[in-house]
Amino acid sequence: MKEEVILIVDDEKEIRELIDIYLKGEGYNTLKAEDGEEALEILKKNEVDLIILDIMMPKLNGIEACLKIREEREMPIIMLSAKSQDIDKILGLNTGADDYLTKPFNPLELVARVKSQLRRYKRFNNSQKNDTNKENKIDSLEIEDLVINLETHEVFKDGIEIKLTPTEFDILVLLAKNRGKVFSIENIYNSVWKQEFMQSDNTVMVHIRKIREKIEDDSRNPKFIKTVWGVGYKIDK
């Protein structure tokens, strides 16, 4: 069985080494880079399953690196930042990151998030591989002009493919499979991330907004993902 490879990108050597120790203790292989430019060079030469990416770095920062990575690759990205303001977290998630941790962080929490993201990504890849062995079977959800193919993890609107990250896809499928049911932010987080929800965490809200921007004609007046004020979100088509 192939050991999963994690790329650690941080300009602080002590942080890189700390993360490296904990990940290797869990059996992961690691690669390390001290800035975004070095990370992109490593990605050209190596297969990587997940990236831990610091935001504040010289040469090419984490935001710029994430944008470049997302042009070609779909592996999970966990952002790290010394900044705790919501705007920094939102910016990181908006550029394509799947999760976000603020420094200083508990290394055990980072490891837990790594495992969660890798499980989701593995399900995503296995679904695509298994689809090649099935003939004429399309398992999909249709909501008006939106089609969600559960086998290939593809989403189409008016016949045009919409690119979602694995996390965005899982949230959309959760709501689409349970039409009419209202999911709180905590429900969504527990169902998709499989971790304990922190009340101050706005990760779900950012992902919902990103999904709306991609699938809605008007994200401020959504017809698919509805907000039930004070409760949560639902799809009731």
Side-chain angles (χ1 to χ4, degrees):
M1 181 178 177
K2 178 178 101 55
E3 290 186 345
E4 289 153 319
V5 179
I6 299 173
L7 174 58
I8 306 164
V9 190
D10 198 300
D11 60 329
E12 297 182 60
K13 182 178 179 181
E14 294 80 5
I15 297 292
R16 294 197 304 271
E17 296 300 329
L18 176 66
I19 296 173
D20 180 68
I21 290 171
Y22 275 86
L23 291 178
K24 284 183 175 175
E26 294 293 328
Y28 295 114
N29 287 330
T30 61
L31 297 168
K32 290 174 280 186
E34 62 182 31
D35 58 61
E37 287 186 0
E38 186 179 359
L40 294 178
E41 289 301 314
I42 289 174
L43 287 172
K44 291 178 182 178
K45 303 171 185 176
N46 299 272
E47 290 294 326
V48 172
D49 298 288
L50 180 144
I51 302 174
I52 297 171
L53 184 63
D54 185 36
I55 289 183
M56 303 300 291
M57 295 184 295
K59 295 184 181 179
L60 190 69
N61 65 42
I63 298 296
E64 295 166 330
C66 186
L67 287 169
K68 289 183 177 294
I69 292 167
R70 280 292 179 244
E71 290 175 1
E72 299 180 357
R73 297 170 182 263
E74 295 180 337
M75 84 280 280
I77 297 176
I78 299 176
M79 284 281 199
L80 301 178
S81 177
K83 296 183 177 181
S84 59
Q85 290 89 342
D86 283 346
I87 188 64
D88 297 297
K89 180 172 185 176
I90 291 169
L91 182 59
L93 294 172
N94 278 347
T95 58
D98 297 279
D99 209 346
Y100 186 107
L101 268 181
T102 302
K103 297 178 180 178
F105 55 85
N106 184 331
L108 293 177
E109 181 181 359
L110 177 59
V111 170
R113 296 194 183 209
V114 165
K115 291 180 178 179
S116 176
Q117 291 296 332
L118 286 173
R119 281 196 301 269
R120 183 178 305 111
Y121 189 57
K122 191 176 295 184
R123 289 200 309 269
F124 177 83
N125 282 340
N126 286 341
S127 175
Q128 290 185 319
K129 290 176 182 177
N130 292 338
D131 184 59
T132 61
N133 299 321
K134 298 177 182 179
E135 296 181 0
N136 301 321
K137 181 180 179 181
I138 299 177
D139 189 2
S140 64
L141 301 170
E142 296 186 18
I143 309 170
E144 294 190 1
D145 54 354
L146 190 71
V147 178
I148 307 167
N149 192 312
L150 302 176
E151 298 295 336
T152 64
H153 280 226
E154 294 174 316
V155 177
F156 296 89
K157 183 181 178 185
D158 289 327
I160 299 173
E161 184 177 2
I162 297 171
K163 292 290 186 180
L164 298 182
T165 67
T167 302
E168 292 167 352
F169 183 86
D170 283 351
I171 294 173
L172 181 60
V173 168
L174 175 68
L175 297 176
K177 279 186 172 181
N178 297 276
R179 270 178 255 183
K181 179 178 178 180
V182 181
F183 283 84
S184 68
I185 291 174
E186 182 175 358
N187 291 153
I188 294 172
Y189 193 90
N190 291 340
S191 297
V192 174
W193 276 264
K194 309 294 186 186
Q195 296 173 4
E196 183 178 354
F197 175 72
M198 304 295 291
Q199 290 298 326
S200 60
D201 197 314
N202 61 1
T203 301
V204 170
M205 295 172 62
V206 175
H207 278 84
I208 290 288
R209 190 175 74 247
K210 288 297 294 180
I211 297 169
R212 282 173 168 167
E213 289 173 355
K214 293 178 180 182
I215 70 172
E216 303 282 3
D217 293 327
D218 181 359
S219 61
R220 295 185 178 182
N221 185 29
K223 70 175 184 178
F224 295 115
I225 299 179
K226 301 287 188 179
T227 299
V228 180
W229 294 107
V231 184
Y233 302 97
K234 69 173 181 176
I235 292 177
D236 58 6
K237 293 286 182 180

